[in-house]
Amino acid sequence: MTTLSDPPQDQGFRLSQLIYDTRYRSITIQVIAMIVFMLIAAFLIRNTIINLSALGKDINFSFLSSRAAYDINQQIIPYTSNDPHWRAALVGLLNTLLIAILGCILATVIGVIAGVLRLSKNWLTAKIMTVYVESFRNIPVLLWILAFMAVLSESLPAPRAFRGEDATASMWFWDSVAVTNRGTYVPSPVWGSGSSVVIIAFLLSLLGIWAFGKWSNRHFEETGQHLPNFWIKLGILIVPTVLVYFVMGRPITLSYPELKGFNFSGGLHMRNSMLALWLALSFYTGSFIAEIVRSGILAISKGQTEAAFALGLRPSWTMNLVILPQALRVIIPPLISQYLNLTKNSSLALAVGYMDLRSTLGGTTLNTTGRELECMLLMMLIYLIVSLIISSGMNIYNKSVKLKER
Amino acid sequence: MKKSVFLGALTLAGLAAGTAMAQDSSTLAAVKERGMLKCGVNPGTPGFAAPDASGKFVGFDVDVCRAVAAAVLGDSEAVEYTPLTSAVRFTALASGEVDMLARNTTWTFSRDVDLKNTFVGVNYYDGQGFMVPKDLGVSSAKELGGATVCIETGTTTELNLADYFRVNNMEYEPVPVESFTEAQTQFLAGACDVYTTDASALAASRASFENPEGYVVLPEIISKEPLGPLVRHGDDNWGDIVRWSLNAMIAAEEYGVTSANAAEMANGTDNPEINRLLGVEGELGAMLGLDNAWALNIITQVGNYGESFEKNIGENTPVGLARGLNAQWTEGGLIYSPPFR
């Protein structure tokens, strides 16, 4: 009598095994899913091509080198309406990057402060931060952008109000800053001849501060003596630069905004569209970062704080030296997605007339050339590349702070 | 589960294929089958296209949509209006979301040829102008050097503006805005000194201000902006219908056919041109694939060109535009219909 549990004989591969054999079934399903996916993709692409040719349109990127013919108000690189469309797109891209970088910095600062303060033992501070986080996190960012813009353009005085004897508005900080409903004008540096020497001196003193810090740490470890680090560093930062500045005959001067004609001229013009977009994106993303920071801090066990207190560290030192460095490991990965979100949300800029990539390449260029598909594809590609660069950069930083396992 | 997803995908693909095919067939058949004309209009330019107190779209451009609906469906109210911003209008037309555009759109070479549109005529000859607050003390556009200018993005006016200031060697600061209403808000808040767009729209916008006397439209007209209805390339019969619906309104004014006397004239007149227009003589309607009373329907339900003009944007309305270039050719204007023959 043979047993019923004979091992199955190797009878070679049968087609039914593709469905009934668990070893092959998952592969079968994946292959089918893949084929279906490819079919749908092929159908969509074919449909697009057929529809485009029915409309008599082709896919052609040569419009990028034709004359753009429109003006852009905020230019990081020189641009006139005689420049080609690709340069207009580049100006827009730089404006996008500017708002992304400024936004990420400010959002991080706001987020860290709000996140830490939300854990504060001070009842009022903690509640104010809760209100901030919940109100910004739960209202769409587009509304915040429009709200900031409305506040800036409706409540601030027009440049006209600064004119004449009975001016209803006045400039701030000894006539150096003008806050108007068209933007804020601040003094800007004018780099005269010899200013490069001053800058080099300044960079050298930064290097000096770094070198002194290393030496002072070693000195502390060897002798146990505390030096007045802060004052020495401040001295290194200021004294040589100021000396060189006067020796070179004060090459760097400031250009102050002045009311000329319709507007202020001179100084740096920070347009309200930029300020509104920057502040709204920063406060919005900052509220998410605050929650990430809070969760990162809460993830560090209370024992760490108690141990630090037992060693006699002050609360601020405990936070800076013990808690935050460990919390960073938890904070960094979700922070990357917040930076990506902020960068992508900056494409809402058109709502307030900030000329970013979406408003140049995806706005006026698209409208005047009528190349919707090309502009959209190009824009998606650029945002993809920018996002990948940000996330790979942040991943490198993440590797450097994460727990080193030996 | 897998199966239902697969079937779902198949259905979706089938639906998409269906839509793709429907686009190939004629627009006229589609409109008749739907019993509704889909017309793209401006979201809100008083006088040209704006919702009235009851939410119904009215205006000079809207009347072109109504005329086409009257010609094709015999009912000028059988129109579904799609408010479109200047940025999305051509995409909406090309994708078949609307059957036609009557949205103060400037007829230009590249829009006609490169964007594959067919402009069927001009219903308003316009030009770009500037509006400033009176207390700015500016009397000519040549004095606008250094000014901040509000401008709708994606329009021909944006390009004219750049050219005008460059040619006249003046600096300016463009403030791009997305819509007509947004431009008004910014302008009234003083966030820009100057608002520039087609002179007709400036007049319309000034009419809607709380204090119209505080603002002046400068005398310079810096561009030619022939505004007219358009359809997409590829359906010439539909293009003909929209073109001759507009021409019927224009010809009716020229021959003195009005909404009041059209029904009476349809019994026959001495003028063979009027007889052909109103379908008493000849088979003009059938040639378009329409009822022979197509033009009669337009004139009785919508009125002739002059009636529409006076009702919506004429001198007795808040917009208060003079006929000017838009008078009949017999009265020194440019409005001219080819003969109905």
Side-chain angles (χ1 to χ4, degrees), chain A residues 29 36 40 43 47 55-56 67 69 71 73 81-82 154 160 181-182 262-263 271 350 353 355 364 367-370 372, chain B residues 6 13 20 87 114-116 135-136 143 145-148 154 158-159 162-163 166 172-174 176 189-193:
Chain A
I29 292 172
V36 169
I40 293 174
F43 169 77
N47 204 7
L55 288 170
R67 180 172 174 261
D71 283 307
N73 49 16
S81 57
N82 282 330
E154 300 280 346
R160 254 178 286 175
N181 64 353
R182 291 176 191 174
F262 293 102
N263 287 316
R271 286 170 184 78
L350 189 57
M355 295 300 274
T364 311
N367 280 314
T368 52
T369 60
E372 301 94 1
Chain B
F6 179 69
D114 193 36
L115 298 193
K116 313 291 178 198
D135 57 10
L136 211 57
E143 298 166 24
T148 304
E158 190 177 14
L159 310 181
D163 285 345
R166 192 173 45 79
Y172 75 107
E173 158 99 14
C192 43
D193 302 303

Side-chain angles (χ1 to χ4, degrees), chain A residues 56-57 368-371, chain B residues 109-117:
Chain A
K57 288 188 169 185
T368 52
T369 60
R371 298 274 173 194
Chain B
F109 182 95
S110 63
R111 283 175 176 178
D112 197 338
V113 178
D114 193 36
L115 298 193
K116 313 291 178 198
N117 295 313

Side-chain angles (χ1 to χ4, degrees), chain B residues 52-122:
Chain B
D52 66 4
S54 62
K56 212 178 78 179
F57 265 93
V58 290
F60 188 62
D61 280 336
V62 168
D63 276 354
V64 179
C65 304
R66 294 178 61 220
V68 175
V72 176
L73 303 165
D75 177 10
S76 68
E77 299 306 308
V79 190
E80 190 187 313
Y81 298 100
T82 308
L84 297 170
T85 63
S86 46
V88 301
R89 54 186 158 179
F90 299 120
T91 320
L93 180 65
S95 65
E97 199 183 312
V98 293
D99 301 313
M100 59 174 286
L101 274 186
R103 196 210 163 277
N104 47 6
T105 300
T106 306
W107 185 352
T108 68
F109 182 95
S110 63
R111 283 175 176 178
D112 197 338
V113 178
D114 193 36
L115 298 193
K116 313 291 178 198
N117 295 313
T118 301
F119 282 83
V120 298
V122 176

Side-chain angles (χ1 to χ4, degrees), chain A residues 181-330:
Chain A
N181 64 353
R182 291 176 191 174
T184 299
Y185 299 79
V186 295
S188 63
V190 177
W191 310 103
S193 67
S195 53
S196 54
V197 182
V198 181
I199 294 169
I200 291 171
F202 180 70
L203 293 178
L204 283 178
S205 49
L206 285 185
L207 200 68
I209 288 173
W210 175 76
F212 170 76
K214 288 211 108 176
W215 177 82
S216 128
N217 272 350
R218 217 172 43 239
H219 182 75
F220 173 69
E221 278 164 18
E222 281 166 7
T223 65
Q225 272 183 318
H226 255 312
L227 292 169
N229 274 339
F230 177 77
W231 294 109
I232 295 177
K233 281 181 181 172
L234 195 67
I236 300 177
L237 182 71
I238 293 174
V239 175
T241 315
V242 170
L243 274 180
V244 174
Y245 175 71
F246 281 101
V247 167
M248 293 304 295
R250 297 202 271 185
I252 303 172
T253 50
L254 284 178
S255 142
Y256 289 97
E258 266 180 276
L259 192 56
K260 274 187 194 154
F262 293 102
N263 287 316
F264 282 91
S265 65
L268 184 70
H269 180 193
M270 294 190 291
R271 286 170 184 78
N272 272 347
S273 55
M274 190 197 100
L275 290 177
L277 186 67
W278 179 34
L279 293 176
L281 286 176
S282 303
F283 275 97
Y284 178 77
T285 314
S287 66
F288 287 90
I289 295 179
E291 287 299 273
I292 294 171
V293 169
R294 188 169 72 107
S295 72
I297 293 172
L298 289 179
I300 307 304
S301 88
K302 200 157 184 337
Q304 297 280 329
T305 318
E306 286 165 351
F309 284 167
L311 287 174
L313 292 182
R314 287 183 228 145
S316 62
W317 286 22
T318 310
M319 184 54 80
N320 288 334
L321 298 176
V322 179
I323 309 296
L324 274 185
Q326 299 186 73
L328 273 182
R329 285 172 203 147
V330 186

Side-chain angles (χ1 to χ4, degrees), chain A residues 33 83 94 108 112 139 145 149 183 195 199 230 235 297 352:
Chain A
D83 283 320
L94 289 175
T108 312
V112 170
I139 293 176
I145 295 174
M149 187 63 183
S195 53
I199 294 169
F230 177 77
I297 293 172
V352 288

Side-chain angles (χ1 to χ4, degrees), chain A residues 98-176:
Chain A
L98 176 73
I99 210 75
I101 293 169
L102 289 177
C104 287
I105 294 172
L106 187 59
T108 312
V109 172
I110 294 172
V112 170
I113 292 174
V116 171
L117 288 186
R118 203 176 167 187
L119 293 170
S120 159
K121 292 208 169 58
N122 183 323
W123 185 86
L124 187 63
T125 317
K127 289 302 163 203
I128 289 174
M129 288 305 145
T130 308
V131 170
Y132 156 66
V133 168
E134 294 306 335
S135 58
F136 271 85
R137 212 158 63 123
N138 294 308
I139 293 176
V141 65
L142 179 60
L143 298 188
W144 280 118
I145 295 174
L146 292 174
F148 273 92
M149 187 63 183
V151 167
L152 288 175
S153 59
E154 300 280 346
S155 66
L156 295 174
R160 254 178 286 175
F162 290 80
R163 202 188 307 274
E165 290 299 312
D166 52 348
T168 51
S170 56
M171 291 167 74
W172 296 2
F173 303 115
W174 309 280
D175 277 359
S176 64

